[in-house]
Amino acid sequence: MSPTIKDVAKKASVSLSTVSLVINGKSNVRDETRKKVEAAISDLGFHPRRAARGLASNKTNNIGFILTEDHFSRAEPFYTKIFLGTEFEARKYNYYILLTTVPKKFNENLHLPRFLLERNVDGVILAGKVPTKLIDIIQKANLPLILIDYSTPTHKTSKVLIDNHQGTSLAVEHLIQNGHSKIAFIGGEISHPSICERLRGYEETMHKSNLSTSNLIFCNEPNTDVNNGYEATCSLFKKGSPFTAIVASNDTVATGAMRCLREKNINIPQDVSIIGFDDIEVCLQVEPRLSTIKVFKEELGAIAVRRAIDGIESKTLLLEKTIIPAELVIRESTGRAPNS
Amino acid sequence: MSPTIKDVAKKASVSLSTVSLVINGKSNVRDETRKKVEAAISDLGFHPRRAARGLASNKTNNIGFILTEDHFSRAEPFYTKIFLGTEFEARKYNYYILLTTVPKKFNENLHLPRFLLERNVDGVILAGKVPTKLIDIIQKANLPLILIDYSTPTHKTSKVLIDNHQGTSLAVEHLIQNGHSKIAFIGGEISHPSICERLRGYEETMHKSNLSTSNLIFCNEPNTDVNNGYEATCSLFKKGSPFTAIVASNDTVATGAMRCLREKNINIPQDVSIIGFDDIEVCLQVEPRLSTIKVFKEELGAIAVRRAIDGIESKTLLLEKTIIPAELVIRESTGRAPNS
DNA sequence: ATGAAAGCGCTAACAG
DNA sequence: CTGTTAGCGCTTTCAT
């Protein structure tokens, strides 16, 4: 058996409660006593058992991380990075992250995460678009809740968001500086607030520069995967205005667009420039390498964890909204507009 | 406060221990009593608190999942899928997965995962190449241990492996059937047993068909990322024999090779065929779509969880070695050899 | 500043 | 088959 607080107490010749005070970093311990206890702890290689602490203090030191199944499989590299960010940050504060997924069509009787039922988390982080019913349930359970990359007007929650609007602004400005004026926007799932904001950022920046967007927006796709990018680009060719650049709603969509361009023997970036959003691995694996708007994914996760812990430890659920700027990354898929 | 076993006992007019017996599915409870208890449980929406169970039973119902940091960032989509496989399977058995990473250059005093120190897991799964020191420590702690996609001759452990050898055999045979005979193998990190086996599978299948591999193997790269694939292919051009097909040690390496081919204006698959290994998302995002050897990643994770639970619940650590076959996936990057 | 004692919610002998 | 009882290892009043 590993040593317990009792062993430590004996070794340091103090009482159990004194050891407990030291473990929990409470102030009212004489320095000398603290030293003694700390020595005993490190001598014995003592580590408090979580289960015991949890039972006594009614706290789990776990944070639940929930995303929808299809988000995690479709946009995997994006959410994996966010998750990793949460894990690293949680470690610093001695929390564990419990990750789980829920189906897109969520049924609260079937799919409620176990850690919610078992009250095995002190707070919850939701990433991406999630069922609003799930938000309701978590709020009713009175658990600190942080949304990442999602927000809904009907629910008041803390959230950590990407500056999508600024992101596509950056993208459009970069293209304009390269002499482009006929710039298209493609990608689906406008129902996701982030995608919608990306579209708005594009539109506003275009209009601010007196550029037309008519017949240059193709967002009727139901999703944001490779095929949607491909289809949207096909539509752009069939029904759209002429263009020399494409802003894609994310990197995956951009790769679909690239496929379409290649099929039509259009050179990137000589004939058409293309820029993505997110900065996932694939940007470096396609040919040419994809310019994009970088999202600080690990940071999003880390900040969410800090907010969650704030909520857990302060007991006052203050609602904070944090917006993280995005950053332009220029690679090989964007260049001067033809004849400019 | 959520209901406790006490509330259930009162409601069902039985004792605490009877409720406990029901919860734990022990057999010695009269059917009628069980029904009564179950009704009370569902009426109250009772869920046993993990911390309490854990403390009383000295069991956590957690399984630790450890991988090296650079594995998780470099070969992220691969390991993410394995991790997801563990999570889904663990759910069925009421376990949680605690994921954490350790640095490649592992120092046991600095980097020992918390859940090991705090004895907060009942078993451990290691994925990919991990420090052997870590294996030592886990075995010394007498925790059931399962390796995924790794094995070391110096340690006796249960493991779940990919049939790498058969995988590259499949790849080579597919190419031979398409008229290729000058087939190269590229990719680095032969120190990883999996990569080494992939090389061996290639070699043996080539030799079995009386094909030469001389000056067709380029594996001096230190890693298996995009650049290594690129560099290995450059070497192949500079120092190698002529070839019409490439077997890459994984998909990421394959994308690097594709970059090199494109730079040299070599068409895939008209001039050179290329096939990867793993079947990660990027296969569908590059142009042309990459033929590959599919690894059942979620399955690897799921089986590892079952093995771990076997070990936890049986208390007898039997060493099992499970090998999962790989599968040929033909897409657009492989075709008939030129002039055949 | 430190110690004594109660108890968190459950499991696990043991009795009956 | 069911109930009684004693902890599991820690936190947390409450005294001192």
Side-chain angles (χ1 to χ4, degrees):
Chain A
M1 247 356 246
S2 31
T4 73
I5 200 174
K6 221 169 178 171
D7 302 318
V8 177
K10 206 178 298 167
K11 179 137 195 169
S13 343
V14 295
S15 74
L16 299 185
S17 28
T18 304
V19 179
S20 179
L21 291 176
V22 171
I23 292 171
N24 293 289
K26 309 280 179 176
S27 52
N28 46 347
V29 180
R30 216 187 339 151
D31 223 46
E32 191 189 339
T33 316
R34 176 186 308 281
K35 288 265 175 11
K36 249 191 342 194
V37 173
E38 279 165 352
I41 288 177
S42 102
D43 279 9
L44 294 168
F46 166 78
H47 287 273
R49 295 251 275 129
R50 284 204 168 228
R53 294 186 105 168
L55 184 56
S57 65
N58 200 26
K59 213 192 146 218
T60 65
N61 267 259
N62 295 148
I63 294 174
F65 185 93
I66 309 177
L67 21 71
T68 60
E69 276 164 23
D70 70 316
H71 262 58
F72 205 27
S73 35
R74 206 175 62 225
E76 182 192 294
F78 184 77
Y79 288 106
T80 303
K81 284 281 199 286
I82 294 178
F83 170 62
L84 264 192
T86 63
E87 214 290 312
F88 274 80
E89 192 71 13
R91 229 185 260 184
K92 296 187 199 158
Y93 298 95
N94 200 29
Y95 277 76
Y96 290 119
I97 302 293
L98 265 32
L99 178 140
T100 198
T101 59
V102 294
K104 200 172 185 178
K105 34 185 202 50
F106 173 75
N107 176 325
E108 63 178 304
N109 299 312
L110 269 59
H111 306 129
L112 211 53
R114 293 168 299 161
F115 54 60
L116 253 28
L117 292 170
E118 301 172 350
R119 306 210 112 255
N120 200 26
V121 292
D122 303 327
V124 178
I125 296 173
L126 299 180
K129 195 180 170 192
V130 287
T132 53
K133 188 71 205 162
L134 183 56
I135 301 181
D136 288 336
I137 293 169
I138 295 166
Q139 292 193 318
K140 227 169 283 160
N142 215 28
L143 286 169
L145 167 65
I146 317 290
L147 299 189
I148 298 180
D149 186 31
Y150 188 57
S151 79
T152 146
T154 51
H155 292 76
K156 298 250 159 287
T157 65
S158 282
K159 41 206 158 199
V160 184
L161 303 170
I162 302 160
D163 199 340
N164 293 296
H165 193 286
Q166 168 244 14
T168 38
S169 279
L170 249 34
V172 172
E173 278 161 10
H174 164 60
L175 293 167
I176 291 175
Q177 276 165 25
N178 273 282
H180 296 272
S181 58
K182 291 171 236 149
I183 304 169
F185 182 93
I186 59 158
E189 205 172 11
I190 299 294
S191 68
H192 191 306
S194 273
I195 301 295
C196 188
E197 285 165 27
R198 291 176 191 185
L199 172 58
R200 298 285 166 258
Y202 154 84
E203 287 181 320
E204 285 188 23
T205 313
M206 291 291 281
H207 295 154
K208 211 184 293 167
S209 309
N210 292 314
L211 297 176
S212 163
T213 60
S214 110
N215 292 317
L216 284 171
I217 299 175
F218 286 82
C219 289
N220 352 21
E221 296 296 315
N223 254 325
T224 52
D225 70 15
V226 189
N227 287 326
N228 299 310
Y230 178 85
E231 295 296 340
T233 311
C234 292
S235 303
L236 175 59
F237 274 107
K238 262 185 258 150
K239 304 179 227 152
S241 303
F243 61 94
T244 63
I246 298 177
V247 176
S249 58
N250 72 23
D251 292 333
T252 308
V253 165
T255 62
M258 290 172 82
R259 171 176 314 282
C260 177
L261 294 175
R262 174 141 308 124
E263 278 184 8
K264 299 196 185 305
N265 277 312
I266 290 167
N267 290 315
I268 308 169
Q270 295 80 355
D271 304 328
V272 168
S273 285
I274 177 156
I275 185 164
F277 207 115
D278 285 350
D279 196 28
I280 57 176
E281 286 294 308
V282 74
C283 295
L284 299 173
Q285 304 189 80
V286 292
E287 184 62 36
R289 281 178 271 241
L290 191 64
S291 296
T292 193
I293 301 299
K294 173 171 183 165
V295 173
F296 294 89
K297 300 166 280 292
E298 289 91 341
E299 266 301 310
L300 290 174
I303 292 173
V305 166
R306 268 179 267 146
R307 292 279 174 284
I309 295 176
D310 284 351
I312 292 165
E313 309 205 324
S314 74
K315 293 279 118 206
T316 69
L317 296 188
L318 69 160
L319 301 183
E320 285 185 78
K321 175 169 161 182
T322 309
I323 300 181
I324 313 292
E327 200 174 275
L328 175 65
V329 178
I330 302 173
R331 298 206 177 90
E332 302 149 6
S333 68
T334 50
R336 297 295 305 168
N339 318 317
S340 79
Chain B
M1 249 352 247
S2 32
T4 73
I5 199 175
K6 221 168 174 173
D7 301 318
V8 176
K10 204 178 299 168
K11 179 137 194 169
S13 345
V14 296
S15 74
L16 298 185
S17 33
T18 304
V19 178
S20 178
L21 290 176
V22 172
I23 292 171
N24 293 289
K26 309 282 180 173
S27 53
N28 46 348
V29 180
R30 214 186 340 148
D31 222 47
E32 192 191 338
T33 316
R34 177 186 307 279
K35 288 265 177 13
K36 247 187 350 190
V37 172
E38 278 166 352
I41 288 177
S42 103
D43 278 9
L44 294 169
F46 167 78
H47 287 271
R49 293 253 273 132
R50 279 199 172 232
R53 294 184 106 169
L55 185 56
S57 65
N58 200 26
K59 215 196 144 213
T60 65
N61 268 260
N62 294 148
I63 294 175
F65 185 94
I66 308 177
L67 20 71
T68 59
E69 276 165 21
D70 70 317
H71 262 58
F72 204 27
S73 34
R74 206 175 59 226
E76 181 192 294
F78 184 77
Y79 289 104
T80 304
K81 285 280 197 284
I82 293 177
F83 170 63
L84 264 193
T86 64
E87 214 288 313
F88 273 81
E89 193 70 12
R91 227 185 261 186
K92 296 187 200 159
Y93 298 94
N94 200 30
Y95 277 77
Y96 290 119
I97 302 292
L98 265 32
L99 177 142
T100 198
T101 59
V102 294
K104 199 171 185 176
K105 34 184 205 47
F106 173 75
N107 176 325
E108 62 179 303
N109 298 313
L110 269 59
H111 306 129
L112 211 53
R114 293 168 298 160
F115 54 60
L116 253 28
L117 291 170
E118 301 171 351
R119 308 210 113 255
N120 199 26
V121 293
D122 302 325
V124 178
I125 295 173
L126 300 180
K129 195 179 171 193
V130 286
T132 55
K133 188 70 206 162
L134 182 57
I135 300 181
D136 288 335
I137 292 170
I138 294 166
Q139 292 193 320
K140 227 170 284 159
N142 213 29
L143 287 169
L145 168 65
I146 317 289
L147 299 189
I148 298 180
D149 187 31
Y150 188 57
S151 79
T152 146
T154 52
H155 292 74
K156 297 250 159 290
T157 65
S158 283
K159 40 207 159 198
V160 183
L161 303 170
I162 302 160
D163 198 339
N164 293 297
H165 193 286
Q166 169 245 12
T168 38
S169 278
L170 248 33
V172 172
E173 280 161 10
H174 164 60
L175 292 167
I176 292 176
Q177 276 165 24
N178 273 282
H180 295 272
S181 58
K182 291 172 236 148
I183 304 169
F185 182 93
I186 59 159
E189 207 173 11
I190 299 294
S191 69
H192 191 305
S194 274
I195 302 296
C196 188
E197 286 166 26
R198 291 176 191 186
L199 172 58
R200 298 285 166 257
Y202 154 84
E203 287 182 319
E204 285 189 23
T205 313
M206 291 293 280
H207 295 154
K208 210 184 295 168
S209 309
N210 293 313
L211 297 175
S212 163
T213 60
S214 113
N215 291 318
L216 285 171
I217 299 175
F218 286 84
C219 290
N220 350 22
E221 296 295 316
N223 254 326
T224 52
D225 70 16
V226 189
N227 287 327
N228 299 310
Y230 178 85
E231 295 296 340
T233 310
C234 291
S235 303
L236 176 59
F237 274 108
K238 261 185 256 151
K239 304 177 228 155
S241 304
F243 61 94
T244 63
I246 298 178
V247 176
S249 59
N250 70 24
D251 292 334
T252 308
V253 165
T255 62
M258 289 171 83
R259 170 176 313 282
C260 177
L261 295 176
R262 174 140 310 124
E263 278 184 8
K264 299 196 184 307
N265 277 312
I266 290 167
N267 290 315
I268 308 169
Q270 294 82 355
D271 303 328
V272 168
S273 285
I274 178 156
I275 184 164
F277 207 115
D278 286 350
D279 196 29
I280 57 177
E281 286 293 310
V282 75
C283 295
L284 298 173
Q285 304 189 79
V286 292
E287 183 66 34
R289 280 178 272 240
L290 191 64
S291 296
T292 193
I293 302 298
K294 173 171 184 163
V295 173
F296 294 88
K297 298 166 282 292
E298 290 92 341
E299 267 302 309
L300 291 174
I303 292 173
V305 165
R306 267 178 267 148
R307 292 279 174 283
I309 295 175
D310 285 351
I312 292 165
E313 309 205 324
S314 74
K315 293 278 116 207
T316 68
L317 296 188
L318 69 160
L319 301 183
E320 285 185 80
K321 176 169 161 181
T322 310
I323 300 180
I324 312 293
E327 199 175 277
L328 175 65
V329 178
I330 303 173
R331 297 205 177 90
E332 302 150 6
S333 68
T334 50
R336 296 295 305 167
N339 318 318
S340 78

